Amino acid sequence: MAQTITSTKDIEFLLHDVFNIADLSKTEKFAEFNKKTVNMIVSEARNLAVKEILPTNIDGDNGCAFEKGKVSTPESFKRAYKLYCEGEWLATADPVEYGGQDMPLMLTAATQELFTGANMAFLMYPGLTHGAAKMILELGTEAQKKIYVKKMFAGLWTGTMLLTEPDAGTDVGALTATAVKNPDNTYSITGNKIFISGGEHDLGENIIHTVLARVEGAPSGTPGISLFIVPKIKVNPDGSLGESNNVVCTGIEEKMGLHGNCTCSLSLDNSVGTLLGEENKGLKGMFLMMNEARFGCGVQAFGQAATSYANAVSYANERIQSPDILAFGQSDAPSQKIINHPDVRRQLLFMKSHVEGLRTLIYYVADCFQKAELDSVSDEEKEICRGLLEFLIPIVKAYTSDKAFEICTQGVQVFGGYGYISEYPQEQLLRDCKITSIYEGTNGIQAMDLLGRKLGMKKGKPFMDLLVEMGKTVTAARSVKALEAMADAVDAAKDKLGETAFILGGVAMSDKILDAFGSATPFLEVAGDVVLAWLHLMRANVASTVLGNGVKEKDRSFYQGQISTAEYYMESHLPVALGKMEAVKKTTASIMATPAEAFV
Amino acid sequence: MAQTITSTKDIEFLLHDVFNIADLSKTEKFAEFNKKTVNMIVSEARNLAVKEILPTNIDGDNGCAFEKGKVSTPESFKRAYKLYCEGEWLATADPVEYGGQDMPLMLTAATQELFTGANMAFLMYPGLTHGAAKMILELGTEAQKKIYVKKMFAGLWTGTMLLTEPDAGTDVGALTATAVKNPDNTYSITGNKIFISGGEHDLGENIIHTVLARVEGAPSGTPGISLFIVPKIKVNPDGSLGESNNVVCTGIEEKMGLHGNCTCSLSLDNSVGTLLGEENKGLKGMFLMMNEARFGCGVQAFGQAATSYANAVSYANERIQSPDILAFGQSDAPSQKIINHPDVRRQLLFMKSHVEGLRTLIYYVADCFQKAELDSVSDEEKEICRGLLEFLIPIVKAYTSDKAFEICTQGVQVFGGYGYISEYPQEQLLRDCKITSIYEGTNGIQAMDLLGRKLGMKKGKPFMDLLVEMGKTVTAARSVKALEAMADAVDAAKDKLGETAFILGGVAMSDKILDAFGSATPFLEVAGDVVLAWLHLMRANVASTVLGNGVKEKDRSFYQGQISTAEYYMESHLPVALGKMEAVKKTTASIMATPAEAFV
């Protein structure tokens, strides 16, 4: 069986039928992104992903090599990296003046899904480079921008973020790396950092580290953290490379997966850096990038899930095993493609409904990012989009990564014994995917962010706005007879989510706050469930319209499948979500009541 | 952090307080197994597991080597295997006359949990040996028993089962290996087998393969399958070893985990075997062992989960990160052990409640096995135990392996970034555990077994008997004021499970049978959820009695923790199960209504 990645069918359905991306081409900024161009870009991205990046995925799983402070990436990565950078895929949504493509964010999300679905470990090198460069673009001085951004967007220099230390993970405020100011306004930075993705490797000419450290005499905790640019090789004022900057890689981690991306321990010893942003405002600077980083993490997880699903569909259409249940006992009954067996069909539909639901969520949030910045959008709507974004980001990060892992797990199961062996792609996808629930803030942290920060933000307006958006979809769907029952189900779930949030939010502001936070994760999970139900209703409604307008015979099953997939979600998963909300509403006291000593 | 496995605390609670294993010592067969002896055996098993087997687990993860048809197991396995066999742990529940220990099955389950929790890949070698030997003991002629069983129970010779072929996995009836009868009543067997655990290795003097093949001229499908004993090295009538038997290992699989156990492809070319049981009754013979094999698979999965939980508790008590939520905003607040953070406590309680619930299920089923064979048990009760066993086995296999994987996943999460790196044990446990949802009949097959065979068995008597057992626990718990609410919750869930089964069973007998089987997996899952709720009520009731009788101060939190753990399960998971049952009762038509072509 040839390994594959997702087809473009559902991507195009979303970009055009559901979100009508071509509307953007009415704006000056995106004038050239008409439907044809959009499809061409998606198609080009998929070609590069399938032909050049996917074949490097197994090689990547063999891992990076570490020797005498140097890290070698898998051999096949070199050519793929060159082609990816030459194709100008690293900074598609960024300003043309810095080498970007000024592409709509939803389209960027679509291309990133394809690339990361082909090889997540590989994509992290350009992905982290983009993140670091964008931070310099947002926070840097003109001189810093001029020196770094263009070279990084072109992939000549790569980038990283140095946050974590052995005793400062989730609690970044506990970090101990120090910065001493020099007479020339540079800083000498010293400390040990761990878990640095792409901290040392051989794909670019230089590595630009963005580093969190504490300036001598700064306050303890998060208020004393500053952000610095520390290149691996010093950069002269004219942009040429100077001498080594004492950033030493002391080792790389053996991991569960993601072997193609090196996870480095770095030691800085009076390494020279320049301040990025203001002193002691480093965490705030880093937080500016947080939404994008967490969104990107969701896309990574999603890419693994989408690929696992594509492989599972392909396998289930090829693998022949056991006769039809209806022919039970007939010894001469022919064996079937396993896609025809009810339990396998259920597994695939679990995967399909979650993959398509999550893809819709990701594109919807990309659209919020876009609208929050677009000149043609009113200030009021911008405000709403910013709020939706803030509320949905922890869901995109945590819910997507948890569900993606479940999808990848199911993707192993569809293959049976073959799912467990490395000759087939499924087990690697599962292993690679797992990290996404951990980094960029563990999913537990996301749940606390949702309950503690986002739910009550602006007196709850973002959450109320989300319920209003759901309500609009319900109203639209109710006008279609065949969707009425589903619309009612989503409506009831939406109301119950509102009620659950109200109760849980109340407990969080009472003296039972610890009990409330004990229910933060189930709340995030069920909020995600209801969001997916809403988006499936949206998709079914659009599909119903398309079918009403008439489709080519070969496309009919795709659109009909949208409606039955939504039905499956409403009938199989929404009742479970209602049960979960009953549990969350109870905000059980048992968690904190179980003494630490009882865990033996 | 030192790697560990489960403590004996909960094991002893179950063996003595909940199931009162010492009752068995009133029977002649088990007279010597008083409480002191039982505890000594558990303690000895744990010592061997921790001191000798656990240290081999990481070495095992480095894998087996294959060269020129020979497989080398990890170096550290040799000593561990010797000690395990010398300690006579391979056949603890088997007849003394064949070298067994005639131990109660529940005690065997307890020791196996400890061993497999220390190194699952290692334990498979003696485990499969035991399975093959037991099959020979059950089905073999006196001569076969005499030649093979004692040597296998002593671990001198190991054993395997050769079922799977490339196109005959779940559909074992499709196998093509052939057997030709020789004039001396032996058979010459030819064929290719794959996914053979321990098919070739260096731990014993000989490997005794039990092989499914089709005698020339036999019917197609399952009615034409026979079972054979085919030793790797031919065995002379006096038990001494002869020449090679042409069973050639052609390769071993690269896998997601379980690297220490080789998964072999074997080629048989006129290899000489003897018939085990009757011609064409091979599958029936194999099925005789099915319940035990599937039970064992559940124990394997459970062992990984229990170890992951033990490690997570240990880590959460050591790792210090972030101040208490109640001190939010106080910059000088001290950082806490992460076990004190509500979301981590929730993660641990998820693990605890499922580990302890599943352990109770496993011991309960072991008790059913025991009672079904015990002279002192009435025929009527034996019949009930056999029925409970049949109904619960697919749940022990599938529900345990699925939940164990979730527990191991959570066990990675508790460790944060450290959970993803190989220096810590958590990621290996997750990888090793995954296979248990696939082999011994995929979990989808278990669900079909439960719905298609077990639910309607004897007009539904086993299922009704299970509900009766649940009812007894409810009645007992209701007499304790503090447990009343939980008893009511379990009672309602039990009734709803009965209703769900009635509806689903009805659909399975209608023309909508395919829809019913599309809901087979969710039904198995929710049956497991309700079983766990019932068993938690049982545990809480026992703990309440123990507390009432007075306990040492140092033990108080353990027993109180039983009650709050049960409360957590009832408040956090049972409402979700009720929602799942709503979904199952709908037996959604959407699964089969989504056309195969819609999966793109």
Side-chain angles (χ1 to χ4, degrees), chain B residues 75-127:
Chain B
E75 197 44 43
S76 63
F77 280 26
K78 276 91 177 173
R79 174 183 154 89
Y81 186 72
K82 190 166 164 280
L83 291 171
Y84 186 82
C85 294
E86 282 175 2
E88 299 182 321
W89 294 106
L90 196 148
T92 46
D94 301 278
V96 169
E97 66 169 303
Y98 287 98
Q101 305 287 310
D102 260 333
M103 209 181 258
L105 284 164
M106 200 190 292
L107 185 53
T108 288
T111 62
Q112 287 294 308
E113 170 200 336
L114 293 162
F115 293 131
T116 198
N119 185 342
M120 173 174 160
F122 168 76
L123 248 286
M124 285 181 71
Y125 295 103

Side-chain angles (χ1 to χ4, degrees), chain A residues 83-94:
Chain A
L83 291 171
Y84 186 82
C85 294
E86 282 174 2
E88 299 182 320
W89 294 106
L90 195 147
T92 46
D94 301 278

Side-chain angles (χ1 to χ4, degrees), chain B residues 84-242:
Chain B
Y84 186 82
C85 294
E86 282 175 2
E88 299 182 321
W89 294 106
L90 196 148
T92 46
D94 301 278
V96 169
E97 66 169 303
Y98 287 98
Q101 305 287 310
D102 260 333
M103 209 181 258
L105 284 164
M106 200 190 292
L107 185 53
T108 288
T111 62
Q112 287 294 308
E113 170 200 336
L114 293 162
F115 293 131
T116 198
N119 185 342
M120 173 174 160
F122 168 76
L123 248 286
M124 285 181 71
Y125 295 103
L128 287 162
T129 300
H130 178 261
K134 180 124 191 228
M135 195 153 61
I136 296 172
L137 188 61
E138 296 272 340
L139 301 171
T141 61
E142 283 308 313
Q144 286 173 324
K145 288 195 263 188
K146 200 172 157 211
I147 291 178
Y148 295 109
V149 177
K150 225 169 168 174
K151 284 198 170 117
M152 292 174 78
F153 277 172
L156 294 172
W157 295 354
T158 64
T160 68
M161 302 205 189
L162 277 57
L163 287 80
T164 304
E165 299 177 6
D167 289 315
T170 291
D171 187 9
V172 66
L175 65 80
T176 62
T178 57
V180 179
K181 195 166 183 175
N182 300 319
D184 65 353
N185 284 329
T186 64
Y187 292 76
S188 293
I189 296 157
T190 302
N192 294 309
K193 296 284 182 177
I194 61 166
F195 295 168
I196 309 306
S197 301
E200 165 60 33
H201 60 83
D202 54 3
L203 289 177
E205 295 169 0
N206 199 2
I207 302 177
I208 312 307
H209 303 293
T210 57
V211 183
L212 289 184
R214 201 179 302 280
V215 176
E216 266 191 322
S220 66
T222 51
I225 293 177
S226 303
L227 181 57
F228 301 90
I229 301 175
V230 181
K232 170 185 163 185
I233 303 169
K234 286 180 188 166
V235 179
N236 299 320
D238 66 353
S240 64
L241 297 182

Side-chain angles (χ1 to χ4, degrees), chain B residues 443-521:
Chain B
N443 285 1
I445 290 293
Q446 305 300 322
M448 290 169 66
D449 180 47
L450 185 70
L451 174 59
R453 231 179 257 136
K454 305 300 176 64
L455 184 59
M457 182 178 256
K458 296 183 188 167
K459 296 183 181 164
K461 185 170 182 303
F463 178 62
M464 298 308 294
D465 285 341
L466 178 64
L467 297 185
V468 168
E469 292 301 309
M470 290 180 179
K472 287 181 195 166
T473 305
V474 167
T475 305
R478 269 199 182 124
S479 68
V480 183
K481 187 77 189 161
L483 304 182
E484 247 179 76
M486 288 202 271
D488 289 347
V490 172
D491 199 27
K494 159 186 88 72
D495 290 347
K496 190 160 184 166
L497 183 65
E499 187 198 350
T500 304
F502 183 79
I503 292 172
L504 186 62
V507 177
M509 288 186 293
S510 76
D511 58 354
K512 293 184 177 169
I513 177 173
L514 295 181
D515 292 340
F517 277 92
S519 289
T521 290

Side-chain angles (χ1 to χ4, degrees), chain A residues 74-311:
Chain A
E75 197 45 43
S76 63
F77 279 25
K78 276 89 176 175
R79 174 184 153 89
Y81 186 71
K82 191 165 163 279
L83 291 171
Y84 186 82
C85 294
E86 282 174 2
E88 299 182 320
W89 294 106
L90 195 147
T92 46
D94 301 278
V96 169
E97 67 170 303
Y98 287 97
Q101 304 287 310
D102 260 335
M103 210 180 259
L105 284 164
M106 201 191 292
L107 184 53
T108 289
T111 62
Q112 286 295 307
E113 169 199 337
L114 293 162
F115 293 130
T116 198
N119 185 342
M120 174 174 160
F122 168 76
L123 248 286
M124 285 182 71
Y125 295 103
L128 287 163
T129 300
H130 179 261
K134 181 127 191 224
M135 194 153 62
I136 296 172
L137 189 61
E138 297 271 340
L139 301 172
T141 61
E142 282 309 313
Q144 286 174 324
K145 288 196 263 188
K146 201 172 155 209
I147 290 177
Y148 295 109
V149 178
K150 225 170 168 174
K151 284 198 171 117
M152 292 173 79
F153 278 172
L156 293 172
W157 295 354
T158 64
T160 69
M161 303 203 187
L162 276 59
L163 286 81
T164 304
E165 300 177 7
D167 288 316
T170 290
D171 187 9
V172 67
L175 65 79
T176 62
T178 57
V180 179
K181 196 166 184 174
N182 301 319
D184 65 353
N185 284 329
T186 63
Y187 292 77
S188 292
I189 296 157
T190 301
N192 294 310
K193 297 283 182 177
I194 61 166
F195 295 168
I196 309 305
S197 301
E200 165 60 32
H201 60 83
D202 55 2
L203 289 177
E205 294 168 0
N206 199 1
I207 302 178
I208 311 307
H209 303 293
T210 57
V211 183
L212 289 184
R214 201 180 302 279
V215 176
E216 266 192 322
S220 66
T222 52
I225 293 176
S226 303
L227 181 57
F228 301 91
I229 301 175
V230 182
K232 170 185 164 185
I233 303 170
K234 286 180 186 167
V235 179
N236 299 319
D238 66 352
S240 63
L241 297 182
E243 57 191 13
S244 165
N245 199 10
N246 284 340
V247 182
V248 177
C249 179
T250 55
I252 62 176
E253 304 289 348
E254 291 292 324
K255 307 189 298 287
M256 178 180 178
L258 208 71
H259 295 305
N261 194 276
C262 51
T263 304
C264 303
S265 303
L266 294 182
S267 169
L268 286 74
D269 181 10
N270 281 307
S271 306
V272 178
T274 55
L275 186 68
L276 184 55
E278 297 176 50
E279 257 192 28
N280 298 342
K281 298 270 171 72
L283 211 61
K284 204 180 153 197
M286 195 67 87
F287 260 89
L288 268 183
M289 304 304 302
M290 202 65 99
N291 282 338
E292 270 186 55
R294 290 178 172 176
F295 177 78
C297 183
V299 175
Q300 286 185 314
F302 173 71
Q304 311 319 295
T307 299
S308 183
Y309 169 60
N311 286 324

Side-chain angles (χ1 to χ4, degrees), chain A residues 166 169-171 254 256 319 321 343 345-346 413 418 420 422 431 437 518 521 564 568 571 588 590 594 598, chain B residues 166 169-171 254 256 319 321 343 345-346 413 418 420 422 431 437 518 521 564 568 571 588 590 594:
Chain A
T170 290
D171 187 9
E254 291 292 324
M256 178 180 178
R319 173 76 172 169
Q321 191 82 175
D343 189 61
R345 186 78 62 100
R346 178 196 59 78
Q413 202 70 18
Y418 295 102
Y420 196 69
S422 311
R431 286 185 288 106
S437 66
T521 289
S564 61
Y568 162 79
E571 293 180 4
T588 182
S590 61
T594 304
Chain B
T170 291
D171 187 9
E254 291 292 324
M256 178 179 178
R319 174 77 172 168
Q321 193 81 173
D343 190 62
R345 185 79 62 99
R346 178 196 59 77
Q413 202 71 18
Y418 296 102
Y420 196 69
S422 310
R431 286 186 288 105
S437 66
T521 290
S564 61
Y568 162 79
E571 293 180 3
T588 182
S590 62
T594 304

